[in-house]
Amino acid sequence: MTPILARVETRMANELQEVVVEAGSEHSPIFRNLKRALPHVPFTVVEDPKASWASLAGAHDPMGSGKKRLFLVRHRGEFLKKCPGSEGQVCCNYFVVNFASNCPMECSYCYLQEYLANNPALKVFSNMGDLMAEADRLFSRQRRFFFRIGTGEITDSLALDPYTGFCAEVIPFFAAQPNALLELKTKTDRVEGLLGLSPKGRVVVSWSMNPPRVIDDEEHLTASFERRLAAARRCQEAGYRLGFHFDPMIEYPGWEADYREAVERIFATIDHRRVAWVSLGVLRSTPGLKRIMRQRFPSTRLLAGEHVSCADGKMRYFQPLRVSMYRKMLIWIRAAAPAVFVYLCMESKEVWQQVFGFAPSCEKELGNQMLARE
Amino acid sequence: MDATSSINDIIVGYAKEKGFHQQTLERWLNLAEADREAILGLAQGLKPSENHLRDFLDWLDEISLRDGLSPRDVLSSEPLVRIFSDPRLSRSDKLKRIKEEVRRLRFPRLSRIEDAIQQTVRDMGLSSRIQVIIPPGLEGGTVTVQLKSASYEELKRLVVELGRASETDRARRLFELLRGDG
């Protein structure tokens, strides 16, 4: 095992101090899987876990401390919701289901550092049955609508899977749905739990991709480029459709050669005809996130990019620069994989127009275009 | 009392007097001693508001990360020293121009495109009653054209002038620059 593969596993094996279980959750399949996968970690059952995770707020580094203890709790409220997107930007009509909160990896730019600043506990939800029942009700009620659903909004879809067995619980359910597609988005190579399952065209496994240099410098504890690519190939061979997200794209001297090579390597390894989509999005930050990044990753050079404030309050590379980045990526992707569907994440209609020569008229149009590629 | 604690005391006193947030003060105090002192010189000389000072701290920090120039290196560079010591400029003019210079160092490519756009607009030779307004940070990719007219005749004249200007290569160049094609 290489040191890179060992990274996230090392954190789970060596740094995870405790699994705190909310009373009642010890009867769930997730509890059983965690017990089996983490025999060396003490499990504590408590009536009210909130007191434990509230104490994190006072820690020196709440986000870092939050990743050292895993909470298995019931999720109260709805599991499924519309992806919030970003105000005024073209949206792809995506739904998100949150089966966990926070992530054991440490990307310097991760927006969760700000988004979960007041609630940084690493949580997995035990009531998977409620999740599937809720999804079943929604899909049955709206049979004429096709749902694209992702689990990677506030956690990595696969980082915890070897411990929770989440995918083995939900993939058979999604594989049986006539009007839903599940996307599992990851920066890991933890695909072992997927390979023996039959996705029946209803599951897309997608990788957040960056050139090796960016992965090494900014995506700490994640799998290397090579390992992500090897895992993608294994998933394709096992019958899964794939997605690739160049998001966040980082601009630095020499970025063109690095990204071009990354695109070429991906499509030299993967059959592009079975790629569901590729998305592009540049680094986004907010003043609050920049403050946190300065504290947690003081030497990151990401803060030194030429970012300006955009209409949605997020900071991005100034528009002519990012349009030029997207256009170049599009040329390289089209050269390597002519038929693959490419879209922009969290960008305005003006940017779409300048990159593609058109902009989707509404979110349904973009969502339908993506599904039409099936 | 050694020199470091003396400078720190002056900085703390200054920040307290101006009512700066603790977070701003801590960033200032966390700088290397020479940089702390350089920022103190800037603050005492130009009396920037806390928002302006935070912009300076952000930009100088980010220039340092990217270019390896310390805040003191930047603030003691020749163009900035010249503005700082120009007796013809008021304090607020100095602040404005020094901030522009530091922004130019922080956003070199953005500044170059903005300058090229401004030059193109000037080259279009429009009368002062026609204003071409460029979006902040070039975000949005659209320009606003504003006509000021006190009479029907003037409006007609300005529209004709604008129409002629829009037929030129310079007008096309303006939008090429905004799209990043320059």
Side-chain angles (χ1 to χ4, degrees), chain B residues 6-167:
Chain B
S6 163
I7 288 167
N8 286 356
D9 290 345
I10 297 169
I11 292 171
V12 170
Y14 181 89
K16 199 174 167 188
E17 183 197 326
K18 298 286 178 190
F20 287 176
H21 273 89
Q22 187 64 22
Q23 215 168 34
T24 309
L25 173 62
E26 279 170 16
R27 276 192 78 188
W28 191 351
L29 291 173
N30 281 336
L31 296 171
E33 187 180 343
D35 299 329
R36 238 176 297 163
E37 205 174 343
I39 300 278
L40 180 62
L42 176 92
Q44 288 176 328
L46 304 180
K47 306 265 187 287
S49 68
E50 186 174 12
N51 282 341
H52 283 310
L53 187 72
R54 262 202 299 258
D55 284 344
F56 277 118
L57 289 170
D58 282 352
W59 293 347
L60 290 167
D61 184 33
E62 290 156 5
I63 290 167
S64 169
L65 275 171
R66 188 187 57 207
D67 303 337
L69 292 170
S70 72
R72 191 180 77 148
D73 293 339
V74 174
L75 293 176
S76 61
S77 63
E78 198 270 330
L80 268 69
V81 170
R82 202 174 50 226
I83 297 168
F84 199 82
S85 56
D86 189 335
R88 294 164 300 178
L89 295 174
S90 69
R91 195 174 64 206
S92 63
D93 285 340
K94 285 180 185 176
L95 175 61
K96 190 170 170 238
R97 290 183 55 177
I98 285 181
K99 208 172 165 194
E100 274 170 12
E101 280 299 316
V102 176
R103 181 182 182 272
R104 205 172 277 281
L105 291 171
R106 172 63 186 85
F107 300 98
R109 286 171 297 175
L110 173 61
S111 300
R112 271 199 298 278
I113 298 176
E114 286 172 337
D115 288 349
I117 289 174
Q118 293 299 352
Q119 186 59 51
T120 305
V121 171
R122 277 195 297 276
D123 291 345
M124 287 167 76
L126 296 166
S127 67
S128 61
R129 305 287 275 178
I130 303 176
Q131 268 199 310
V132 179
I133 302 159
I134 308 303
L138 307 182
E139 191 54 34
T142 54
V143 295
T144 305
V145 181
Q146 188 174 286
L147 307 182
K148 279 189 184 166
S149 164
S151 67
Y152 172 71
E153 288 71 24
E154 187 183 22
L155 178 64
K156 275 184 72 175
R157 187 178 55 73
L158 293 174
V159 168
V160 169
E161 184 185 336
L162 187 61
R164 278 200 198 110
S166 70
E167 294 297 322

Side-chain angles (χ1 to χ4, degrees), chain A residues 330-343:
Chain A
L330 194 58
I331 289 169
W332 301 329
I333 292 167
R334 291 268 184 267
V340 83
F341 183 79
V342 183
Y343 69 98

Side-chain angles (χ1 to χ4, degrees), chain A residues 342-358:
Chain A
V342 183
Y343 69 98
L344 302 180
C345 188
M346 289 193 190
E347 279 295 358
S348 64
K349 286 194 171 182
E350 292 84 2
V351 171
W352 270 81
Q353 189 69 43
Q354 290 181 2
V355 175
F356 293 104
F358 76 93

